[in-house]
């Protein structure tokens, strides 16, 4: 009897009836069946194990219609809790067709895995029904046919059109309100301070620009860098009707090279602006220097 048993085990080995040992020291009959843990009795015999199916699907969307954890794919399952696992690929077919208006029906619709263990040869076995649906690499390849529910698709399209109509109406309302705000702002007269700045920029602006252009050339001749950024105008109302004092400063970055720059502020004069007469006059030495250029 022992010879017969040993001969059967030897024949099993030669026919490659199980794969190399898992981390738990248990052999399996399929490369994609993994045994992550086991439980032993007092005699050292296994009475339970936690197994996982290392499988993947084509098309990949199949994974969306099954619970990968309960299917013992994303997590191992104890054999005492589940000796049989059924993957039902068409379980929610009717619901998906009714909700989305389009759904796939897969073939085969179900695959059942049955897991058993033999302490005699320390091997965990898995069988599939139907047979041959899982390749040695763990690929489950299904065929499918796509079905449509024309009435539901029409409902979805009509709902999308209504939503787009509401969205367009909302956007048109927002654009109209924005246009009204812009028109209202444009209709309001500019403040006296803004008018004083605008008059200075219009009358003395070109001379101020020329002044800084000459300064830039002077820096360049010395091999240095002058980078003008912002012009700052501060307005102070005078006691005269329509009279304002406008102080001009400019921000710039200067240095011996483009990688060694520091922020600096340069004065560009104090100016007297008369909104009544629409005139601009230099009011300090720097302004007179610029005005004379």
């Amino acid at each position: 009897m022992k010879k017969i048993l040993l001969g059967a085990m030897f024949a099993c080995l030669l026919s490659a009836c199980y794969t190399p040992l898992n981390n738990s020291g248990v052999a399996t009959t399929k490369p994609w069946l993994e045994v992550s843990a086991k439980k032993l009795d007092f005699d050292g015999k296994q009475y339970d194990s936690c197994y996982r199916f290392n499988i993947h699907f084509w098309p990949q969307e199949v994974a969306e219609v099954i619970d990968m954890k309960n299917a013992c794919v994303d997590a191992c399952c104890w054999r005492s809790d589940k000796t049989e696992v059924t993957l039902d690929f068409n379980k929610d077919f009717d619901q998906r067709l009714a909700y989305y208006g389009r759904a796939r029906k897969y073939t085969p619709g179900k695959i059942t895995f049955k897991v058993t263990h033999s302490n005699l040869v320390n091997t965990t076995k898995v069988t599939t029904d139907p047979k041959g649906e899982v390749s040695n690499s763990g690929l489950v390849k299904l065929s499918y046919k796509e079905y449509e529910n024309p009435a539901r698709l029409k409902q979805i399209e009509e709902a999308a059109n209504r939503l787009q109509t509401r969205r367009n109406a909302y956007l048109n309302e927002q654009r109209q309100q924005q246009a009204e705000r812009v028109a209202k702002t444009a209709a309001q007269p500019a403040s006296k301070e803004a008018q004083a700045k605008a008059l200075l920029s219009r009358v003395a602006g070109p001379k101020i620009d020329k002044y800084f252009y000459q300064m830039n050339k002077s820096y360049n001749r010395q091999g240095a860098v002058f980078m003008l950024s912002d012009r700052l105008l501060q307005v102070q109302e005078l006691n005269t009707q329509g009279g304002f004092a406008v102080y001009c400063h400019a921000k710039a970055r200067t240095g011996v090279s483009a990688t060694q720059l520091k922020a600096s502020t340069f004065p560009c004069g104090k100016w007297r602006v008369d909104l009544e007469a629409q005139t601009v006059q230099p009011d300090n030495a720097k302004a007179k220097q610029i005005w004379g250029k």
Side-chain angles (χ1 to χ4, degrees), residues 172-215:
N172 288 335
E173 182 181 359
Q174 292 296 307
R175 284 193 288 266
Q176 183 177 354
Q177 291 177 356
Q178 177 65 17
E180 291 174 354
R181 285 193 294 268
V182 171
K184 184 177 180 180
T185 302
Q188 295 175 349
S191 66
K192 296 293 185 179
E193 290 79 4
Q195 293 181 43
K197 291 180 181 180
L199 182 58
L200 174 66
S201 296
R202 187 169 63 253
V203 176
K207 291 182 176 292
I208 296 173
D209 291 339
K210 183 179 179 181
Y211 168 73
F212 283 115
Y213 173 73
Q214 295 294 339
M215 184 180 293

Side-chain angles (χ1 to χ4, degrees), residues 12 28 36 40 76 95 126 130 133 166 211 225 228 254-255 258 260:
C12 181
T28 58
S36 304
L40 306 177
C76 73
Q95 294 92 320
V126 60
E133 294 298 334
R166 289 197 296 269
Y211 168 73
V225 177
L228 187 66
T254 61
Q260 296 178 326

Side-chain angles (χ1 to χ4, degrees), residues 75-127:
C76 73
C77 302
W78 287 100
R79 190 160 35 86
S80 57
D81 296 329
K82 288 184 180 181
T83 59
E84 189 172 291
V85 178
T86 298
L87 306 185
D88 188 349
F89 304 109
N90 297 322
K91 178 182 178 182
D92 300 322
F93 170 77
D94 291 335
Q95 294 92 320
R96 293 170 70 87
L97 183 62
Y99 186 80
Y100 296 106
R102 187 176 288 110
R104 292 177 176 180
K105 179 167 280 190
Y106 295 97
T107 303
K110 295 181 180 180
I111 297 179
T112 299
F113 300 84
K114 188 172 183 180
V115 179
T116 58
H117 179 76
S118 171
N119 277 318
L120 188 61
V121 289
N122 191 31
T123 301
T124 300
K125 179 182 178 181
V126 60
T127 58

Side-chain angles (χ1 to χ4, degrees), residues 57-71:
F57 303 93
W58 189 94
Q60 295 180 354
E61 292 79 6
V62 174
E64 299 175 3
V65 300
I66 61 175
D67 187 332
M68 300 287 277
K69 184 176 181 180
N70 288 331

